[in-house]
Each structure stands twice: as C-alpha cells, then as structure tokens.
Amino acid sequence: MSNIDALLKKYQLAPLPGNVQRLGKLIQGGFDKNADEIAAVIKADESLTARVIQVASRGRQRAVEMEIEQAVMRVGVGAITLVVMSELLVQAVTKTFSTMLSAELQIREDLLVPDNLVVGRIDFSGKANGRVYLRIPCSAADWMVTKFLGKDAAPDPGEILADVVGEVLNIVGGNFKSNICDAGLLCTLSVPTVEVMANCDRVPVTEEQNHQTIFFYVDGVPIFLDLVIMPVVENR
C-alpha cells in the first residue's frame, strides 16, 4: 500500500463526487466537443453553477444573469478546470481539517488577510498544472497546534506551527491527489514547502493563469486556500 493510500485509509477521507468526476473526464476528452455535456453537468448542480457564473462575471461587482451554456463557453477550458479542481481541493481541505483537527470549516465570501502568515505550498503537474497555497495566520498557532497535538503537547505553539501546517498539507495533498486521479486529471504532486511570510495578502499570479482564493472561517480563525491553474493546452 502506498503512503497516500495508507493516509486515506487511516483518516477515512471522502470519495469523489460523481458530477465532479464526470466533469474532469469530459474536460480531458476535449472541451469544444464536450461543451454541451459539460454545461449540462454543471447546470444540474447549484454549487457548480454558481461558481461558473461567478468566474464568468469576474471583474463585475456582482454575478450577471446568463445561461450556463453561455458562461461555459465564455470562461473556456482553463476556468472550468479551475472550478473542477477547486471543488476537489475544498473537499480535501474540509475533510482533512474535520478528521485531523476536529474543525468544521465554513466557507466565507471574503475575509481580511492578516500581516503575518505561515504559507504552505504544493505544486502539481500532469494533465493539469498549478499550485496550491494554504495560508494560516501566525496568530492562530495556539488554536491549530492544540487541535493537532493536544493541549499539553507543545509549550511554544508558535515554534512548531510551520511543522503542523506541513503535516496537515501532506494529508490534504494525499486526498487531493486521489480526487484528481479519480477525475481523470492524473498529476504528480510535490512535497509541501512551508515558510513564514509577512504581508502575504495575495499569492503570485500572472494574467495568463486562472486563480481562486477560498476563504474559510473556524473558531474565530480565518484560513485562506488558493488554487492557481496554469494555462491549459487542450487535447484535440
């Protein structure tokens, strides 16, 4: 059994939703020829529909009303890949926090990013290419380390917060890799890197890359998850 398989079994991480799995395979089969079916799968799921409309309305103050078929063609394969991958990533993160830290993350629309954060990063490459960032405020050290190790396990939580973030990101990566493989988006993931950063209110992204920040809130602690997708070269 691989290390990832052992982690998934140990923490009983969730299987991939069928609609998201279907979308991943449709994307790999060719965006143009499968656009109608991609739109139909998205249209049948309120959460996916809302996220695609939001991406299609980027740059406007609020999401505009449009047919989902129109939105799918407007955003293209890169943004649809971002939507699919973000669903897989959110599932991986929420399940990991639930099983490892007994913390139920709630998605928020927007949260203020504090000055000092521990930033964990995983790169992935293959049928989709990009990066995942998990940003945890340094001020959350007591909460996160206690949740992970127990109340009396660390006399100075701030000193080991980066190590805890790295361990959590390892489990997130295992679940995320399982999900993207099930979706037909076979990728290789890097070993997580973690560093303390000041004024990291946004992650580095170019105009050609698709990017989404997901804001979580739990027990008074803001948590920031970023997904960056490189330009997609479609199979034809």
Side-chain angles (χ1 to χ4, degrees):
M1 180 182 293
S2 70
N3 289 337
I4 288 175
D5 289 338
L7 290 172
L8 295 176
K9 182 176 180 180
K10 179 178 179 180
Y11 293 104
Q12 299 180 339
L13 301 179
L16 181 65
N19 57 348
V20 178
Q21 182 176 0
R22 180 63 180 152
L23 276 180
K25 292 180 178 178
L26 286 170
I27 290 169
Q28 288 305 308
F31 180 78
D32 288 343
K33 69 179 181 180
N34 290 326
D36 289 344
E37 193 170 353
I38 288 170
V41 173
I42 293 171
K43 196 171 184 177
D45 186 295
E46 291 184 3
S47 175
L48 290 176
T49 296
R51 200 167 289 189
V52 170
I53 294 294
Q54 183 180 39
V55 172
S57 304
R58 184 173 296 171
R60 309 186 186 192
Q61 289 186 343
R62 63 183 181 84
V64 299
E65 292 186 6
M66 67 177 73
E67 295 294 330
I68 193 63
E69 293 83 1
Q70 176 188 357
V72 167
M73 294 308 298
R74 178 173 180 172
V75 299
V77 62
I80 296 299
T81 301
L82 176 69
V83 169
V84 172
M85 298 285 277
S86 66
E87 290 285 332
L88 308 182
L89 183 58
V90 166
Q91 183 193 31
V93 170
T94 54
K95 185 64 176 180
T96 300
F97 271 74
S98 177
T99 55
M100 295 185 66
L101 284 79
S102 298
E104 302 303 321
L105 299 180
Q106 301 295 322
I107 294 179
R108 292 285 187 91
E109 289 296 321
D110 197 0
L111 291 170
L112 182 65
V113 180
D115 290 337
N116 298 304
L117 302 106
V118 172
V119 181
R121 169 177 166 174
I122 294 178
D123 295 344
F124 56 90
S125 60
K127 291 189 176 180
N129 300 283
R131 302 185 300 272
V132 172
Y133 294 91
L134 181 63
R135 296 181 286 159
I136 307 291
C138 292
S139 59
D142 285 348
W143 174 84
M144 189 160 188
V145 172
T146 298
K147 282 284 191 181
F148 188 75
L149 295 176
K151 184 176 180 180
D152 301 320
D156 190 348
E159 288 189 354
I160 63 171
L161 177 59
D163 292 334
V164 169
V165 171
E167 288 297 322
V168 170
L169 202 51
N170 259 323
I171 308 300
V172 169
N175 196 19
F176 185 47
K177 182 172 182 178
S178 175
N179 287 349
I180 58 181
C181 289
D182 286 348
L185 299 166
L186 184 63
C187 296
T188 298
L189 272 65
S190 70
V191 174
T193 60
V194 183
E195 61 181 316
V196 178
M197 301 179 67
N199 302 317
C200 185
D201 60 338
R202 64 187 65 190
V203 300
V205 182
T206 68
E207 291 184 1
E208 294 78 20
Q209 296 167 348
N210 290 281
H211 166 245
Q212 183 173 17
T213 299
I214 299 112
F215 301 89
F216 295 104
Y217 198 71
V218 56
D219 296 341
V221 175
I223 294 171
F224 310 93
L225 180 67
D226 296 271
L227 177 62
V228 179
I229 299 290
M230 308 305 182
V232 177
V233 178
E234 184 185 347
N235 295 329
R236 296 186 181 275

